[in-house]
Amino acid sequence: MTRLVAVSNRVVRPRSDPRSAGGLAVGVLAALKEYGGMWFGWNGRTTHGDPGSPTLEQNGNITYATIDMNERAYEMYYNGFSNTSLWPVCHYLLEHFRFDRREWDEYRRVNAMFARKLLPLLQPDDVIWVHDFHLIPLASELRRAGITQPIGFFLHVPFPDIEMFRVLPVYKQLIRSLCAYDVVGFHTPSDLRSFKEAASSIGGIKHANRRYSSDEQLVHADVFPIGIDVEGCRSLAIESQESEDVQRMVEHLHGRELLIGVDRLDYSKGLPERFRSYERLMENYPANRGQVSYMQISPTTRSGVRAYTDIRNELEQLAGRINGQFADIDWVPIQYLNRAFDRATLMGFFQNATVGLVTPLRDGMNLVAKEFVAAQNPEDPGMLVLSELAGAAHELTDAVQINPYDIDSVADAIHKVLSMSQEERCERHASMLAILNHNNITAWRTRFMDALLAVAAGYQAAS
Ligand code: GDG
């Protein structure tokens, strides 16, 4: 029987903190729950020596196979090449970009190590689904080791335009590595277009329709927009209304309109720009002072990278400045919470919000945008203010879309939502909900798995 083997840099194990934030983990776990199978990757612990053999842990129909990572490898492969070279390039944020050839070498070494540790765990009928930019060379390494099972890859971040990608001195190697997969998936048509352009620009790769060929391998590249468990979000939102955290939050509002943002603390999420837009709302539309409260939830991630400590300091300063300028005896304009909440509480908060602020400078998809819409009461929904530079903007065209760099127009958009009629909010919400239901989490994994299984069937027919 076919077994799904998902591979990602980090595995969120069953007994780890359920509040761990991260879109990839949310998507992979949901995909695995239906099919069952194995989830292979790093357990989040570093060691000074060799990572040793994987630890296996069974939970329901999922086997969690996890490994430690060498401290130096973590520093160079994860903090270094993955988060300081690839991540900024994929998000068009070159001010955070740095390249160090030793980090690139370590990136390849860690991918080879992943392949070595995974190899003994694989069975002949497995289908392997690799996730995200940390593991682009994994298929080449597995193929080198003699693996013939179908291998798919999904990129959770944007695939940048070729002129941006060329900034990476190793961009050609990365494109060739992508062509070692059988199926390569992206969130949006523009990511696919950029990949196609990149693949045709480097030569030696032929393509016909959506199939690309490096020397010996054909890769099927396509768009598979990630979705969410729409019903699940809505049920959590309803159930959690009785919870202590949600009730305390509502009490604290004193009837004011809630603006909410939930983002990992990451410079790509456009948080300083969002804080400034809120400040501009207070300046340009003073009638909102004392009438709205903005709650920003941002759990810390990637604390080993300098840019991530910088952003934390910047936000604390900005929140302090805005609160200092506008706060009153009984009103604090921004509540900035640098911590995680459990998923049900988040959905409960969303349901009480009038405005959902999702304003990244660039984002592969952005699941928070979708979760916010799903958590609303369809009869009196809050409205999403959404960056047109997020992948989700391709689907959620009825959100109020903005350019996050344009502080004034974001302030205008928030004001517009605050005064939007219930009828308009309901109409926009219904149209977005229909799209969420069409492209839900089941559709995502089914479409991707179907593409990969079609490749597997092709193998069987050929053998
Ligand atoms: C990457 C891509 C793409 C956040 N804070 C808490 C919490 N979260 C959850 C959210 C959401 C997830 O984490 C974040 O997902 P996003 O999609 O918004 O962003 P990334 O983590 O950057 O994800 C992104 C995604 O992969 C999937 O392909 O959409 O573009 O960058 O589910 O709800 N969860 C809990 N507590 C928190 O405090 N429990």
Side-chain angles (χ1 to χ4, degrees), residues 18-27 87 91 132 154-158 187 226 228 262-264 266 268-269 297-299 302 339-344 346-347 350 362-369 371 391 444:
R19 291 169 305 176
S20 316
L24 182 149
V26 171
W87 177 270
H91 290 84
D132 231 3
F154 189 80
L155 187 67
H156 290 258
V157 297
H187 282 305
I226 195 169
I228 57 163
V262 175
D263 311 74
R264 287 185 305 99
D266 192 298
S268 68
K269 302 293 182 183
I297 295 173
S298 284
R302 303 180 191 170
R339 54 164 281 205
F341 285 84
D342 67 45
R343 198 164 165 75
L346 288 185
M347 300 307 140
F350 286 158
R362 194 66 68 160
D363 221 324
M365 174 57 75
N366 196 298
L367 293 180
V368 172
E371 292 163 353
W444 178 64

Side-chain angles (χ1 to χ4, degrees), residues 72-82 102-103 106:
R72 180 172 178 273
Y74 166 76
E75 195 47 53
M76 300 184 85
Y77 140 86
Y78 181 73
N79 284 342
F81 187 74
S82 298
R102 287 165 306 175
E103 292 176 348
E106 192 62 39

